Amino acid sequence: MRCFLALILLMHSPPFSQTVPSSQSSLTEPAEITGRVTVAEKPVRGALVLIRSVPPSNGRVVAKDKTDADGRYRITNLHAGRYLTSVTAPALTWLQGNETGREINLDSGETREINFSMTRGGVITGRISDSAGSPVIEQQVSIVASGESPRP
């Protein structure tokens, strides 16, 4: 008799998935970041787009993707939160001033488009020597634009 009563109760109880409010299930929807990387409006193939967690989460790379032949990338399955987006490609730069990336707030289920317009980079070479003309090794070198203060 007890088994029969337990069976009837199980048959008439709602499934577990129906007991979870719909607002909670939408909080865990993956988000994504898509976009395009260009130089003079032409696609950059093979550029590496990095997504880092924003401190206090230690700034580690949480996702990355390389651009395709059309300069497009797509990074999926991200959690809602704050991220720093950046791109790198040989001989190219997109940084302006002290900018190290674009910080964004990503909501659950959101698709954000972030495009990067890069420019050709340059190379600075030289030799550092002391007052006697001997090479100075293992010293940090900084380049500061005219009128700016060096970063610590």
Side-chain angles (χ1 to χ4, degrees):
M1 181 71 168
R2 288 183 187 166
C3 290
F4 180 72
L5 184 57
L7 183 60
I8 290 176
L9 287 173
L10 281 174
M11 291 176 61
H12 287 34
S13 64
F16 179 74
S17 61
Q18 288 183 354
T19 61
V20 176
S22 62
S23 62
Q24 283 185 351
S25 62
S26 66
L27 292 176
T28 60
E29 290 182 36
E32 69 180 31
I33 299 172
T34 65
R36 191 164 185 239
V37 179
T38 58
V39 169
E41 300 182 21
K42 294 181 182 173
V44 176
R45 180 185 191 138
L48 182 61
V49 178
L50 301 171
I51 308 299
R52 288 185 171 86
S53 58
V54 172
S57 300
N58 80 6
R60 67 181 173 81
V61 174
V62 295
K64 59 186 174 183
D65 191 26
K66 283 194 173 185
T67 56
D68 63 15
D70 195 35
R72 297 196 182 281
Y73 71 92
R74 182 175 181 218
I75 299 172
T76 60
N77 294 321
L78 295 168
H79 297 287
R82 290 177 46 209
Y83 295 99
L84 188 67
T85 63
S86 62
V87 64
T88 183
L92 300 174
T93 184
W94 72 272
L95 302 178
Q96 298 175 359
N98 292 333
E99 186 178 39
T100 59
R102 293 182 185 156
E103 191 172 316
I104 63 165
N105 286 316
L106 200 57
D107 293 328
S108 177
E110 179 180 10
T111 297
R112 178 77 62 92
E113 183 175 341
I114 300 176
N115 299 314
F116 295 95
S117 180
M118 301 187 83
T119 58
R120 300 269 176 225
V123 175
I124 298 173
T125 62
R127 178 181 167 172
I128 301 173
S129 56
D130 62 17
S131 59
S134 299
V136 177
I137 59 171
E138 296 186 22
Q139 294 296 308
Q140 183 175 347
V141 177
S142 298
I143 300 170
V144 180
S146 176
E148 290 186 14
S149 298
R151 284 198 264 175

